[in-house]
Amino acid sequence: MIEAVKFWNEPNNKSHWDPILDPEWRIYAEMVKMAAEAVKAENPGILRVLGGISPIDPFFIQRLTNYGALENLDAVAVHGFPLDWNLWQIHEWPAKIAEIEAVTPLPVWVTEVGISSFGAEEVQEFGLQRTAELLMGRVARAHWYSLYDLPRTWEATTRHREAEGSSYYRHFHMGLLREDGSPKLSLKHFSDYTPEFGICQWFHFEDPRLDDAINWLRKLGVKRLRTGLSWADWLRPNAEVWFDHVMKKLEEFDLTVTFCFTPESKGIQPHHTSPPQNIEEFADFCVTMMRRYA
């Protein structure tokens, strides 16, 4: 069941939204305003959430507030990875939440938080336990990223291999499960924090892990699941069949669904991070997904 929808993913991160094409985020703000109004008109009972920001930046929230982009939203979301990419320590989580609360009356959700096992599984084990201590009871929603490691044969298209060095490769080791589905040390602790603690797991187009993922989510007692419906994927051949299959399989969970990724043919530039040429088409996609799955 869809509980909430998010408009884009990490809009203040160049891996997901091109700041050269939209340097003041005016296009993004207008797109969110239009999409939120459209979703609210279609189904006012579904929570509407700003795409999770990374880095956690109160000035970005203030900018969007000034543009009027938050007027029809029910929450804002943040993403944090303090042991891998962020320039702050894990114990600062409550302070980072407070920074955002200081600039908006909307509730703050943490829709991605994770620790890579790139250096050692024991680091991830500690990070999971400490993160849960800091966030449970502090925010209304927290989603661990992720259930599975990213397969090494898949390019992390939202990262920059040439520029990031070891940071790029950390992205492949964020799961509670290894690529082959075997458990890491941290897995045995996760059910201590469910159902309050959720999972964020993106499913690629025709992802072969879907059924196994659902079985693991059930074993772990997960009720809240965050995933995405890609606008770019929606234009693929047989997309309706795949989307229907995924959403039917996931209907037992309380879903937070992210609408994101510009089709190459729809962008100002032919890339998934590009602002669309026509923001009404993104709003139309959001409404189509609502009518079909909410």
Side-chain angles (χ1 to χ4, degrees), residues 49-277:
V49 186
L50 184 71
I53 61 171
S54 179
I56 297 173
D57 180 5
F59 298 105
F60 184 75
I61 298 297
Q62 287 180 313
R63 179 192 294 270
L64 294 185
T65 299
N66 293 339
Y67 290 157
L70 307 188
E71 291 175 1
N72 283 295
L73 299 184
D74 300 296
V76 299
V78 300
H79 297 170
F81 305 90
L83 295 188
D84 292 287
W85 297 309
N86 297 139
L87 302 179
W88 45 274
Q89 296 186 336
I90 192 170
H91 70 264
E92 295 180 72
W93 257 118
K96 303 305 288 185
I97 300 298
E99 286 182 12
I100 304 302
E101 291 174 333
V103 297
T104 178
L106 295 175
V108 180
W109 293 10
V110 179
T111 49
E112 280 188 35
V113 54
I115 310 293
S116 176
S117 62
F118 177 78
E121 287 192 18
E122 289 82 358
V123 174
Q124 185 187 62
E125 184 180 30
F126 158 77
L128 169 63
Q129 294 173 298
R130 184 66 177 131
T131 298
E133 291 173 2
L134 292 166
L135 292 182
M136 290 181 64
R138 181 65 181 83
V139 292
R141 297 287 185 277
H143 291 263
W144 182 262
Y145 178 82
S146 62
L147 180 62
Y148 282 102
D149 279 354
L150 189 68
R152 297 182 189 185
T153 56
W154 294 4
E155 182 182 0
T157 56
T158 58
R159 309 294 305 187
H160 299 278
R161 186 199 311 258
E162 295 82 1
E164 294 189 46
S166 65
S167 293
Y168 174 87
Y169 295 96
R170 289 177 179 274
H171 189 75
F172 289 82
H173 299 272
M174 305 299 290
L176 301 172
L177 302 167
R178 301 183 190 90
E179 178 183 347
D180 63 5
S182 59
K184 299 182 188 177
L185 293 175
S186 53
L187 182 82
K188 65 179 180 289
H189 303 289
F190 197 79
S191 59
D192 294 341
Y193 311 119
T194 57
E196 290 81 10
F197 218 35
I199 284 275
C200 173
Q201 179 63 52
W202 296 84
F203 294 105
H204 288 231
F205 192 76
E206 297 182 341
D207 197 322
R209 306 168 300 174
L210 179 62
D211 287 336
D212 285 341
I214 291 169
N215 289 334
W216 272 112
L217 293 171
R218 290 169 177 162
K219 290 177 186 177
L220 294 171
V222 172
K223 186 62 175 173
R224 293 171 175 161
L225 174 66
R226 178 188 167 226
T227 192
L229 291 177
S230 166
W231 183 22
D233 283 347
W234 184 242
L235 300 190
R236 290 175 181 255
N238 301 316
E240 292 185 9
V241 173
W242 172 247
F243 276 45
D244 289 352
H245 176 69
V246 170
M247 295 304 287
K248 180 67 175 177
K249 289 280 189 176
L250 299 181
E251 65 182 2
E252 69 189 78
F253 302 100
D254 292 334
L255 296 176
T256 294
V257 179
T258 302
F259 301 141
C260 60
F261 299 148
T262 306
E264 289 189 1
S265 62
K266 303 292 186 180
I268 296 172
Q269 295 291 330
H271 195 267
H272 69 272
T273 66
S274 173
Q277 301 170 35

